[in-house]
Amino acid sequence: MRSFAGPSVAGRRVLITGAARGIGAALARRLSVEGARVALLGIEPELLAEVAAECGDVPWRYCDVADPAQVGRVIPALVTELGGLDVLVANAGIAKQMAMVGGDASVLEETLAVNVLGVAYAVQAAGPYIAHADGYVLMMSSISSAVQLPLGGAYSASAAAVSALAETLRFELCSTGARVGVTYFAGIDTDMTVRGFDTAAAHTILGGTSLAGISPIGPAVDAMERAIARRKATVYAPWWVAMARPLRPFAQLVVQRLHGNRVARAVEIARSEDAPFTTEQPARPRRMERQ
């Protein structure tokens, strides 16, 4: 059910990346209920098929967003099935802890490949279809683009990069009438958060607590629906993120004061802990191996 008055998403043709679970799946279900026509892509075929069925047997495809060839094939095919495109939600993303000193640098490479290059590839493939007066691109950044946690350097870097890409795209599309939005979320109850913080190193840093608790997914999906309906530039969830971003230096100081005395031990643990990505990734050649 819609939780706000105003413009509706009904009739909008929406393509969502990373739609197999989490926010992507929840948003697909919500938009379908509200009358949008959605198409889904992701790397978990069984889950994607289930979500697509729940949304009324909408079109879906397997697609690794870090592979530009796949993205270049899949997105035009889905757009054809939708009969055009009004909204791209570049939602696919992963996270994994990494110590900056002594950690596995391939974590950074993999994270940027999905969270940054994957967004860029999706935008490039969808761009010709989205560049019209009703077009809208919604990119997923994070509070981590402004306030950083230890061991989260790879994810924080990707979030900051997505924010920069969104600002650039906003300028480049302004003459077409299309708009660009960016989400800044924190601690949403999804696999990204639960799996990402369910490590020995993370538990050591948090000391059995969470910085602001884990927020339910519902308000975040509400905010995204409103953003799509109104083509908003900025989306926050929970509400306090809107206050934390302008107060970045103070917020960073609070984080350091709360968790700083546990960081050294957590970094030591992280260097040898075999933590998974929040979403299992397909095998890809590492950049060093391609050279």
Side-chain angles (χ1 to χ4, degrees):
M1 297 292 292
R2 296 189 70 208
S3 59
F4 64 95
S8 169
V9 299
R12 301 281 181 93
R13 298 163 297 184
V14 184
L15 175 61
I16 305 173
T17 74
R21 50 191 167 93
I23 288 179
L27 179 65
R29 297 184 188 102
R30 170 68 65 80
L31 296 181
S32 294
V33 167
E34 298 300 335
R37 297 162 57 193
V38 302
L40 318 175
L41 62 81
I43 59 172
E44 297 167 295
E46 292 183 1
L47 293 178
L48 273 174
E50 291 176 7
V51 176
E54 292 170 358
C55 294
D57 293 322
V58 299
W60 65 272
R61 294 286 193 285
Y62 174 93
C63 183
D64 176 8
V65 295
D67 183 336
Q70 286 187 42
V71 176
R73 290 193 305 269
V74 169
I75 285 184
L78 287 174
V79 170
T80 297
E81 291 194 48
L82 283 177
L85 189 64
D86 300 306
V87 181
L88 168 67
V89 181
N91 168 73
I94 58 174
K96 182 176 179 178
Q97 67 186 25
M98 183 193 73
M100 289 298 297
V101 178
D104 182 357
S106 70
V107 172
L108 176 60
E109 180 181 345
E110 194 88 346
T111 302
L112 296 178
V114 175
N115 297 9
V116 181
L117 293 179
V119 169
Y121 297 150
V123 167
Q124 289 179 333
Y129 309 102
I130 212 80
H132 57 78
D134 294 319
Y136 182 63
V137 178
L138 185 59
M139 298 185 185
M140 307 292 285
S141 184
S142 166
I143 184 61
S144 297
S145 65
V147 181
Q148 288 77 44
L149 289 174
L151 303 180
Y155 182 75
S156 295
S158 73
V162 167
S163 183
L165 289 177
E167 293 294 343
T168 303
L169 183 64
R170 185 172 289 135
F171 278 119
E172 293 183 0
L173 288 181
C174 64
S175 64
T176 70
R179 297 181 184 176
V180 178
V182 190
T183 69
Y184 295 98
F185 293 164
I188 305 300
D189 187 12
T190 66
D191 288 339
M192 174 76 80
T193 299
V194 174
R195 293 183 181 183
F197 284 95
D198 190 22
T199 68
H203 288 309
T204 298
I205 291 174
L206 296 174
T209 65
S210 175
L211 187 61
I214 295 179
S215 301
I217 195 172
V221 174
D222 291 343
M224 293 177 77
E225 182 193 351
R226 285 193 296 270
I228 291 169
R230 299 170 179 172
R231 299 196 301 158
K232 294 180 63 175
T234 311
V235 190
Y236 299 110
W239 62 270
W240 57 262
V241 175
M243 299 169 51
R245 288 189 70 236
L247 298 175
R248 178 193 178 282
F250 174 74
Q252 190 70 51
L253 180 61
V254 170
V255 170
Q256 292 172 355
R257 289 289 178 86
L258 285 175
H259 306 293
N261 63 338
R262 295 186 288 266
V263 170
R265 175 56 181 155
V267 170
E268 182 182 345
I269 293 171
R271 286 174 180 149
S272 59
E273 185 175 17
D274 185 19
F277 276 104
T278 50
T279 300
E280 185 177 352
Q281 295 297 292
R284 304 186 188 99
R286 291 179 58 179
R287 186 178 64 85
M288 291 183 295
E289 295 170 349
R290 294 194 293 267
Q291 294 177 343

